Amino acid sequence: MSVRLERMEEFALLTLNRPEALNALSFAILAEIREALDEAARMEGTRALFITGAGDKAFCAGADIKELRNRSLVDQRRGAEFGQAVFARLDRLPVPSVALVNGYAFGGGLELALAATFRLCSANAVFGLPEVKLGLIPGYGGTQRLPRVIGEARALDMILTGRSVKAEEAERIGLVHRLVGEGDLREAGLEFARRFSGYSLPVLEFARRAVQRGSDLNLHEGLQLEAELSTLAYRTRDAEEGMAAFEEKRKPEFTDG
Ligand code: CO8
């Protein structure tokens, strides 16, 4: 198997495990990622999903370039839609996800990280959408998610020049939430996830949906979405518990209800 899914304390950890090809995304691996995401969504008691790459060199070097040649246009179109659909599953997972970028995140690898809720990276991480160098453009969501994360000007710069962005710059421009300069990336990931994993899962999901879907809407529609989702949050048992605990000056006990 080129994708491993395991339990890491109260979290799930998905590892792309094809280090000899820098964890490049063959279509078979994309299918395995889809299965693993479905399994992670079903894992009892999972508070978040981590995604990382095996080895110390790459998170993922992108789509498998060797597979991309000599394809019919129909196959190519289906391939792009398949990759997009797999990454959309990550985007819409019922729990937040954290990409632990431990080296190169190029092309489809960066697009995978962009579909995660959060991105943490090690000091040797390098990011890029180098598709122009192959005579291509990103096909797994990069042209859409990157500008939403770092803004249109910076995204155009990265996509049209294909240039690489190192870890410090990635942190400065908001491409990653944290640069883990020293220490273990997984340990840092656990610490990062524990800052939100004790809260109510449905409430976290409403918040994610409001922010992420809201960026596709105009302000008026976005505010309507926020009114709907904040009302749904208000109706949860966890909201009742949270507000009662505040009044009673105790720690809330959320039950994901
Ligand atoms: N696909 C297939 N194999 C790869 C890939 C890849 N993306 N990246 C690396 N490999 C393989 C190499 O071929 C090499 O294998 P081998 O030893 O058999 O020759 C092995 O991994 C190690 O790689 P390098 O020797 O190149 O390692 P270096 O440290 O010298 O370089 C780099 C590392 C800089 C990351 C370099 O490997 C590189 O530039 N890789 C390609 C990065 C890239 O261009 N990614 C974008 C791919 S295109 C894409 O993701 C989206 C396309 C649009 C999709 C459309 C939908 C169908």
Side-chain angles (χ1 to χ4, degrees):
M1 294 289 273
S2 301
V3 170
R4 243 181 8 232
L5 183 69
E6 63 203 293
R7 192 91 198 185
M8 187 164 76
E9 307 196 10
E10 70 270 44
F11 305 105
L13 171 68
L14 186 160
T15 307
L16 304 177
N17 188 25
R18 196 190 171 200
E20 67 284 1
L22 305 186
N23 304 316
L25 297 170
S26 62
F27 289 110
I29 289 191
L30 281 172
E32 283 188 43
I33 295 175
R34 183 184 58 182
E35 298 309 312
L37 290 175
D38 288 351
E39 200 182 323
R42 290 192 299 265
M43 267 171 135
E44 192 83 8
T46 301
R47 312 300 299 175
L49 171 76
F50 294 105
I51 303 180
T52 196
D56 50 13
K57 209 170 155 185
F59 172 73
C60 169
D64 189 323
I65 299 168
K66 293 164 193 169
E67 262 188 9
L68 286 182
R69 298 193 64 198
N70 303 318
R71 289 158 59 77
S72 72
L73 289 184
V74 172
D75 281 350
Q76 184 61 14
R77 167 89 192 207
R78 284 197 186 125
E81 286 173 351
F82 180 58
Q84 288 180 356
V86 174
F87 292 3
R89 262 182 158 86
L90 172 60
D91 198 349
R92 285 159 197 241
L93 208 67
V95 295
S97 51
V98 185
L100 300 174
V101 180
N102 56 321
Y104 295 113
F106 280 171
L110 174 51
E111 291 171 304
L112 174 64
L114 284 167
T117 318
F118 298 107
R119 284 160 294 284
L120 269 58
C121 76
S122 51
N124 69 333
V126 189
F127 301 82
L129 291 176
E131 283 86 345
V132 278
K133 297 179 185 173
L134 300 166
L136 298 171
I137 75 165
Y140 295 157
T143 63
Q144 303 306 304
R145 288 200 178 90
L146 187 64
R148 283 169 167 80
V149 170
I150 62 170
E152 185 181 306
R154 288 185 168 122
L156 281 169
D157 171 36
M158 282 182 71
I159 293 169
L160 269 62
T161 66
R163 77 178 179 88
S164 299
V165 165
K166 291 191 178 152
E168 291 81 14
E169 184 182 357
E171 188 185 39
R172 183 170 50 76
I173 65 178
L175 182 52
V176 296
H177 295 79
R178 294 274 188 291
L179 159 59
V180 181
E182 282 170 20
D184 185 67
L185 186 58
R186 288 189 195 186
E187 283 303 320
L190 286 170
E191 200 183 312
F192 181 86
R194 291 208 174 104
R195 294 171 61 239
F196 60 78
S197 63
Y199 297 130
S200 164
L201 274 183
V203 169
L204 289 175
E205 199 193 339
F206 294 142
R208 272 166 66 209
R209 214 187 295 166
V211 173
Q212 292 176 319
R213 302 294 155 257
S215 64
D216 299 336
L217 305 172
N218 65 37
L219 180 63
H220 174 70
E221 291 165 340
L223 290 171
Q224 281 184 330
L225 177 70
E226 184 189 73
E228 278 162 29
L229 291 170
S230 61
T231 308
L232 286 178
Y234 180 80
R235 287 187 56 192
T236 59
R237 278 197 311 274
D238 286 333
E240 212 173 293
E241 164 65 8
M243 290 185 283
F246 175 79
E247 279 201 21
E248 293 157 22
K249 299 188 187 304
R250 62 175 172 81
K251 205 171 174 291
E253 286 179 25
F254 295 126
T255 54
D256 296 332

